[in-house]
Amino acid sequence: KQEVTQIPAALSVPEGENLVLNCSFTDSAIYNLQWFRQDPGKGLTSLLLIQSSQREQTSGRLNASLDKSSGRSTLYIAASQPGDSATYLCAVWAGAGSYQLTFGKGTKLSVIP
Amino acid sequence: KAGVTQTPRYLIKTRGQQVTLSCSPISGHRSVSWYQQTPGQGLQFLFEYFSETQRNKGNFPGRFSGRQFSNSRSEMNVSTLELGDSALYLCASSLDSGSYEKLFFGSGTQLSVL
């Protein structure tokens, strides 16, 4: 059974700092990995999708990397801003025929002005 | 293009009642999936529908059911509500199977069971 872990559960950084969020998964046979952002009481916003054949994806100040062999992904946020404060979740597509994402429990990020 | 729409936004029910939640996917999206989010368990998969067929179901009791209509809109139903069913219920849609595509989530329905 696929398990996804995100450490740390919470992170507080001063504005302007670069930061890295970590995600690990137990079964390397994944189809893709997605990073989401969730604001309190709201739904999920998809940030980046990395296919299993890719190593990284970039969007603006965000860069996500994927290392399937080690079961790890990182989300790099450059020049953090208070508006980046949210919970960041990673999720893996379990495999053919599963039609479901397996989520980590997220990292709650606070960017202090 | 309108996003995924979930109604109602908030619901308060009492134990033993039943509830129906609605989800309208992004236009053209044929896959709809449902997730339950609680502080303790995080996000857990409920079920996924494509072209009115349930293709997978998560590890939830039979009190949780769903369906998809020909226009891809979906509903989920929870019967005989329990206190532990209090959660944020999220619906997501994608163009097809979703295995190589982004899932787009709605804002969710916050269900409180008293």
Side-chain angles (χ1 to χ4, degrees):
Chain A
K1 180 189 169 186
Q2 178 75 269
E3 292 183 1
V4 179
T5 303
Q6 292 185 250
I7 296 173
L11 179 66
S12 183
V13 301
E15 181 178 1
E17 191 164 295
N18 302 325
L19 61 102
V20 173
L21 305 180
N22 297 296
C23 171
S24 62
F25 45 94
T26 54
D27 186 347
S28 62
I30 64 170
Y31 274 54
N32 68 40
L33 184 145
Q34 288 186 237
W35 282 93
F36 294 89
R37 166 188 173 137
Q38 185 175 33
D39 293 288
K42 301 288 180 63
L44 279 63
T45 300
S46 181
L47 297 173
L48 290 164
L49 168 68
I50 310 178
Q51 301 292 355
S52 61
S53 59
Q54 298 174 317
R55 299 283 291 187
E56 64 178 66
Q57 279 287 325
T58 298
S59 175
R61 295 184 293 109
L62 305 179
N63 176 277
S65 67
L66 175 64
D67 184 343
K68 275 184 59 177
S69 60
S70 67
R72 293 185 180 184
S73 176
T74 61
L75 179 65
Y76 174 84
I77 302 177
S80 58
Q81 303 170 358
D84 295 330
S85 298
T87 296
Y88 291 80
L89 298 131
C90 72
V92 298
W93 196 266
S98 72
Y99 308 111
Q100 64 173 291
L101 286 172
T102 300
F103 284 85
K105 293 194 174 181
T107 294
K108 185 176 182 179
L109 173 66
S110 298
V111 181
I112 312 302
Chain B
K1 207 174 194 181
V4 179
T5 304
Q6 291 189 246
T7 56
R9 185 72 180 89
Y10 300 95
L11 264 178
I12 299 176
K13 293 285 186 180
T14 56
R15 278 184 302 173
Q17 287 187 309
Q18 75 166 25
V19 66
T20 299
L21 312 181
S22 179
C23 172
S24 293
I26 291 172
S27 178
H29 284 193
R30 297 168 66 190
S31 170
V32 174
S33 49
W34 290 87
Y35 291 81
Q36 180 196 64
Q37 186 176 31
T38 59
Q41 297 297 318
L43 276 145
Q44 293 185 288
F45 171 75
L46 281 158
F47 24 66
E48 189 267 359
Y49 289 89
F50 180 80
S51 292
E52 303 179 66
T53 300
Q54 185 184 90
R55 295 193 295 189
N56 196 12
K57 188 177 191 300
N59 189 26
F60 279 82
R63 300 184 297 106
F64 291 81
S65 63
R67 60 177 174 168
Q68 186 181 34
F69 302 96
S70 58
N71 61 358
S72 294
R73 191 177 71 84
S74 177
E75 289 181 347
M76 68 163 282
N77 183 277
V78 187
S79 62
T80 318
L81 284 166
E82 300 178 0
L83 295 179
D85 297 333
S86 294
L88 180 65
Y89 289 87
L90 292 164
C91 165
S93 75
S94 64
L95 273 172
D96 197 342
S97 68
S99 59
Y100 299 102
E101 303 160 5
K102 285 184 182 181
L103 286 191
F104 294 87
F105 281 80
S107 297
T109 294
Q110 184 67 55
L111 172 64
S112 298
V113 182
L114 306 178

